[in-house]
């Protein structure tokens, strides 16, 4: 198991006149500072909505759910959209995501109409390559939930290499991030009687050997960080209680989290036991546990990722300019390699540069096969896959479709096979099996079209942001789209945490929006990772407003090109993207007529006090520090909502079971808008966690609600809204 050591523009503007129009409409000043509303807990009239399952709060939720469901489910379009969404999400006609086991078998987690919670199943590689693989069920989570009268949601497994017989199964109550860990025998296909059970907590565990675990959990008072994640790592022997386990490492309350994992070679042999101390969301320390229990800090930059171990070489991505103990200077984005044993013995051992991305390139994923390094590399937000040869690090490029997204999936540790996914906005997903040693590629699975893309096309444009930076974006539309501003357009954004928005096939967007004449736009703003760490860092902390201006610039550019106009433009985003939507709503409501705000961050003066919020201080800054609070307060949507603004009726939704982004953000946003006299549609799923995907039927309902709302706002005439 490899984990992070810290925890994708070719098209020019059609004419200069378009750029000039967009620039002329861009605000020249930052948003106004807050007027004093909810600047403290004492001045926040809706702080009671942060009581997640409190009776008063839940009564408020139930009333708002009843209203919103009445409005949206009462729309004559809802039922058709719901049935289409349900058919898509429950379809068996999907590519089963493959994961190589250590012995070469293929594992898969699968959900459908009969397996709403899902099953863990297994087949051979040869069988997987056929049209109808013969699967054997390892564990049925629907049956488990029924038998135990529980609301279990599968959150993954960690199996002991090399045999991978004994596994720690992560089970979440209703989709929360916090999980219970239980030991499972994948050969006998049952939980081990008297086996290891770790109570519900955020955190994890990894195997050292069959009778020894590395555990990072809630060990009681004083063992969690301010972010609510583990601060302590222990070594637990079979038969011990958590209290009896040996403490190996204790972090600081201000840390994001502390975790531990093992670094193993292709044969499953333990090479190092490592502890990761995440100081903030991007900076960390990595410590090696010696055989006698002493700790040695590894000489790595604070911002870096450990990506894998191949042919005895440790692969690391450097995410800041850094001078190594060897005296070598590395640049942000460099992928480098050390001979592991030599480097552990002497930190001054020379490293090799495997890859140095250009300004328009981004490394999206890295996988190690037995003998090669496989890299998904994007240029101008279009993907390719390179195979590197350890030693001289020469590379070849796999012969895959062009101008699409590529994803490097599971890699075999027995040989050099690796799965690669290929997709595009109008290209149904396909799965390829590549042999890294020969370069041979074979398409093993492909999806049929889930919507009618006849006559549709994808364009890539750029918008000039307020500081002059060119921001790429994609427009998916029917080729016959008139350029008269009449097109219902949905603009999607995220803009944070170095998360790239890459081209991808979405059956639900296609069926529920594009096929019905809608236009779909994806903004590749700063804050994301489309052009590597620098693209992300350009919108960190005090520069967060740049990302908001990037998103606004794309909206302005769409209007300037007459692709759409304010009455026909809607926006959508979730989590950090929900913050994005809030910033657009409060800063440029004159540009939009709809906003789908999903599981959002909204009260940025209190985000660090709610659930996992403190872990994001590295992204946004710390509201408790006056200088940092000042820049956060400028854009925090909750504090900047005002009367007399042209806010459209928005649709906000969240989940009661979300233990990552507190549902209080969404609740308080809706309550404040209503207080100011604006109509609001609010819906809270009482299940499902942050991703709201614990139940496929609930997923279909959420999608239908969103696209019914968008249809009402953007496809109807103002008189119909």
């Amino acid at each position: 198991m490899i984990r992070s050591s810290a925890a994708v523009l070719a098209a020019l503007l059609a004419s200069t006149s378009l750029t000039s129009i967009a620039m002329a409409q861009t605000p020249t000043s930052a948003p106004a500072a807050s007027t004093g509303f909810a600047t403290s807990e004492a001045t926040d009239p809706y702080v009671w909505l942060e009581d997640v399952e409190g009776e008063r709060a839940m009564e408020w939720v139930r009333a708002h759910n009843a209203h919103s469901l009445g409005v949206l489910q009462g729309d004559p379009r809802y039922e058709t959209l719901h049935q289409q969404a349900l058919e898509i999400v429950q379809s068996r006609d999907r590519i089963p995501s493959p994961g190589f086991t250590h012995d070469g078998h293929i594992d898969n987690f699968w959900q459908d109409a009969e397996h709403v919670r899902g099953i863990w199943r297994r087949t051979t590689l040869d069988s997987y390559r056929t049209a109808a693989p013969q699967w054997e069920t390892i564990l049925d989570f629907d049956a488990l939930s029924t038998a135990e009268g529980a609301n279990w949601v599968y959150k993954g497994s960690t199996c002991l290499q090399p045999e991978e017989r004994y596994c720690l199964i992560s089970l979440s109550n209703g989709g929360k991030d916090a999980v219970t860990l239980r030991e499972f025998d994948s050969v006998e296909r049952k939980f081990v009687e008297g086996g290891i059970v770790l109570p519900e907590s955020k955190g994890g565990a990894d195997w050292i050997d069959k009778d020894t675990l590395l555990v990072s959990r809630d060990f009681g008072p004083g063992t969690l960080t301010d972010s609510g994640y583990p601060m302590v790592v222990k070594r637990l022997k079979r038969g011990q209680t958590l209290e009896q386990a040996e403490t190996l490492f204790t972090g600081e309350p201000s840390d994001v989290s502390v975790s531990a994992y093992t670094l193993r070679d292709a044969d499953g042999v333990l090479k190092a036991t490592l502890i990761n101390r995440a100081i903030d969301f991007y900076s960390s320390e990595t410590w090696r546990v010696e055989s006698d229990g002493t700790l040695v800090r590894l000489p790595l930059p604070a911002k870096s990722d450990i990506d894998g171990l191949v042919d005895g070489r440790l692969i690391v991505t450097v995410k800041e300019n850094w001078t190594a103990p060897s005296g070598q200077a590395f640049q942000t984005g460099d992928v480098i390699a050390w001979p592991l044993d030599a480097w552990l013995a002497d930190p001054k051992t020379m490293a090799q540069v495997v890859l140095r991305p250009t300004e328009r390139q981004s490394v999206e994923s890295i996988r190690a096969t037995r003998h090669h390094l496989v890299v998904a590399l994007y240029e101008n937000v279009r993907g390719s896959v390179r195979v590197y040869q350890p030693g001289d690090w020469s590379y070849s490029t796999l012969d895959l479709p062009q101008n699409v997204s590529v994803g490097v999936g599971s890699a075999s540790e027995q040989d050099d096979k690796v799965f690669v996914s290929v997709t595009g906005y109008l290209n149904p997903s396909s799965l390829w099996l590549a042999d890294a040693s020969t370069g041979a590629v074979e398409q093993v699975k492909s999806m049929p079209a889930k919507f009618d893309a006849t006559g549709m096309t994808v364009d890539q444009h750029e918008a000039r942001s307020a500081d002059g930076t060119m921001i790429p974006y994609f427009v998916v539309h029917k080729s016959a789209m008139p350029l008269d501003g009449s097109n219902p357009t949905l603009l999607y954004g995220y803009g944070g945490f170095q998360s790239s928005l890459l081209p991808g096939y979405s059956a639900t967007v296609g069926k529920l929006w594009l096929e019905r004449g809608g236009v779909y736009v994806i903004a590749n703003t700063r804050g994301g990772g489309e052009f590597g760490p620098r693209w992300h860092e350009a919108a960190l902390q005090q520069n967060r407003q740049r990302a908001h201006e990037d998103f606004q610039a794309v909206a302005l550019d769409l209007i300037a090109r007459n692709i759409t106009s304010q009455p026909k433009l809607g926006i959508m985003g979730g989590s950090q993207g929900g913050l994005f939507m809030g910033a657009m709503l409060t800063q440029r409501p004159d540009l939009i007529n709809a906003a789908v705000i999903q599981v959002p961050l909204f009260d940025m003066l209190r985000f660090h006090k709610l659930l996992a919020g403190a872990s994001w201080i590295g992204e946004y800054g710390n509201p408790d520090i006056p200088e940092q609070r000042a820049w956060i307060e400028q854009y925090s949507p909750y504090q900047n909502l005002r009367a007399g603004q042209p806010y459209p009726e928005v649709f906000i939704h969240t989940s009661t079971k979300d233990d990552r982004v507190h549902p209080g953000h969404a609740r308080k946003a809706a309550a404040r808008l209503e207080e100011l006299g604006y109509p609001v549609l609010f819906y809270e799923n009482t299940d499902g966690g942050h991703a709201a995907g614990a139940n496929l039927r609930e997923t279909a309902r959420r999608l239908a609600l969103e696209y019914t709302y968008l249809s009402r706002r953007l496809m109807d005439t103002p008189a119909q809204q």
Side-chain angles (χ1 to χ4, degrees), residues 460-708:
Q460 188 183 36
H461 299 301
E462 288 184 329
R464 187 181 298 278
S465 193
D467 67 355
T469 301
M470 302 306 292
I471 308 303
Y473 67 94
F474 288 99
V475 184
V476 190
H477 63 96
K478 292 187 176 181
S479 301
M481 172 184 72
L483 293 177
D484 61 1
S486 67
N487 303 291
T489 300
L490 177 58
L491 170 59
Y492 186 88
Y494 185 77
F497 296 97
Q498 203 175 325
S499 180
S500 303
L501 296 185
L502 305 174
Y505 191 83
S506 171
T508 51
V509 170
K511 191 70 180 177
L512 278 60
W513 188 248
L514 292 171
E515 199 177 272
R516 299 170 58 232
V519 177
Y520 186 54
V521 181
I522 304 88
N524 300 121
T525 67
R526 285 173 290 186
E530 286 86 348
F531 299 128
R534 293 184 186 89
W535 195 246
H536 169 236
E537 291 168 0
L540 269 181
Q541 299 199 11
Q542 69 266 37
N543 295 318
R544 173 61 43 180
Q545 179 61 17
R546 288 179 179 171
H548 302 152
E549 291 168 350
D550 292 352
F551 195 64
Q552 295 162 20
V554 173
L556 287 162
D557 203 57
L558 289 167
I559 294 170
R561 291 177 184 275
N562 280 324
I563 291 172
T564 193
S565 57
Q566 178 274 330
K568 296 295 182 179
L569 179 59
I571 56 175
M572 177 187 284
S575 194
Q576 146 63 32
L579 169 61
F580 235 34
M581 301 309 104
M584 175 69 95
L585 180 69
T586 53
Q587 296 179 25
R588 294 305 307 265
D590 57 307
L591 298 180
I592 60 173
N593 195 35
V596 178
I597 305 174
Q598 307 162 316
V599 291
L601 283 159
F602 225 82
D603 183 353
M604 296 305 291
L605 298 187
R606 280 181 57 75
F607 82 91
H608 62 313
K609 299 182 183 297
L610 302 174
L611 296 176
S615 65
W616 310 320
I617 286 174
E619 180 81 7
Y620 302 117
N622 188 343
D624 290 338
I625 299 174
E627 177 188 4
Q628 299 182 21
R629 181 185 181 88
W631 74 60
I632 295 169
E633 196 168 17
Q634 290 287 324
Y635 68 77
S636 180
Y638 185 50
Q639 284 75 23
N640 280 287
L641 290 168
R642 290 179 173 77
Q645 301 300 308
Y647 301 151
E649 177 187 60
V650 299
F651 178 35
I652 305 173
H653 65 77
T654 186
S655 169
T656 309
K657 287 290 197 295
D658 190 341
D659 57 348
R660 192 180 313 167
V661 175
H662 197 290
H665 285 279
R667 295 172 179 178
K668 295 198 302 181
R672 175 61 170 165
L673 281 165
E674 288 178 327
E675 175 197 338
L676 293 171
Y678 299 103
V680 180
L681 293 173
F682 174 92
Y683 172 66
E684 183 168 318
N685 172 20
T686 56
D687 207 348
H690 185 57
N695 185 310
L696 294 178
R697 297 187 185 98
E698 177 60 38
T699 299
R701 176 159 71 167
R702 174 182 57 79
L703 288 165
L705 292 172
E706 289 176 340
Y707 286 97
T708 299

Side-chain angles (χ1 to χ4, degrees), residues 185-209:
D185 185 332
S186 64
V187 174
E188 295 291 331
R189 298 179 186 178
K190 63 181 182 181
F191 288 101
V192 176
E193 187 174 350
I196 296 167
V197 177
L198 301 181
E200 182 181 82
S201 169
K202 292 183 180 181
D206 199 5
W207 301 90
I208 296 177
D209 56 46

Side-chain angles (χ1 to χ4, degrees), residues 329-559:
F330 298 106
Q331 298 179 13
T332 299
D334 283 355
V335 180
I336 61 178
W338 283 285
L340 177 63
D341 292 339
W343 179 68
L344 290 176
D346 182 5
K348 293 184 179 181
T349 298
M350 300 291 283
Q352 293 176 293
V353 175
V354 177
L355 168 63
R356 175 165 288 171
T358 67
E359 286 189 1
R360 288 295 183 178
Q361 290 180 333
S362 172
V363 174
E364 284 295 326
S365 59
I366 296 176
R367 296 289 185 273
T369 65
R370 189 170 187 86
H371 301 296
H372 295 82
L373 197 68
V374 184
V375 178
L377 183 70
Y378 279 71
E379 185 158 6
N380 292 333
V381 205
R382 293 177 169 89
S384 64
V385 176
R386 291 181 178 181
V387 176
Y388 286 84
Q389 176 67 48
D392 63 2
W393 298 109
S394 58
Y395 72 88
S396 59
T397 302
L398 295 181
D399 184 15
L400 295 166
Q402 303 297 302
N403 298 322
V404 293
S405 283
V406 295
V408 181
S410 183
S412 172
E413 296 174 324
Q414 294 300 304
D415 50 34
D416 290 300
K417 293 184 177 65
V418 60
F419 285 107
V420 178
S421 60
V422 174
T423 186
Y425 292 119
L426 300 178
N427 305 86
S429 300
S430 59
L431 185 70
W432 300 67
L433 182 62
D435 189 326
S437 63
T438 66
V441 294
E442 167 197 1
Q443 182 174 303
V444 294
K445 302 284 180 186
S446 63
M447 285 289 295
K450 292 291 186 177
F451 63 92
D452 184 2
T454 304
M456 292 185 188
T457 190
V458 180
D459 298 325
Q460 188 183 36
H461 299 301
E462 288 184 329
R464 187 181 298 278
S465 193
D467 67 355
T469 301
M470 302 306 292
I471 308 303
Y473 67 94
F474 288 99
V475 184
V476 190
H477 63 96
K478 292 187 176 181
S479 301
M481 172 184 72
L483 293 177
D484 61 1
S486 67
N487 303 291
T489 300
L490 177 58
L491 170 59
Y492 186 88
Y494 185 77
F497 296 97
Q498 203 175 325
S499 180
S500 303
L501 296 185
L502 305 174
Y505 191 83
S506 171
T508 51
V509 170
K511 191 70 180 177
L512 278 60
W513 188 248
L514 292 171
E515 199 177 272
R516 299 170 58 232
V519 177
Y520 186 54
V521 181
I522 304 88
N524 300 121
T525 67
R526 285 173 290 186
E530 286 86 348
F531 299 128
R534 293 184 186 89
W535 195 246
H536 169 236
E537 291 168 0
L540 269 181
Q541 299 199 11
Q542 69 266 37
N543 295 318
R544 173 61 43 180
Q545 179 61 17
R546 288 179 179 171
H548 302 152
E549 291 168 350
D550 292 352
F551 195 64
Q552 295 162 20
V554 173
L556 287 162
D557 203 57
L558 289 167
I559 294 170

Side-chain angles (χ1 to χ4, degrees), residues 2 10 37 226 519 637:
I2 302 300
F37 172 78
D226 296 339
V519 177

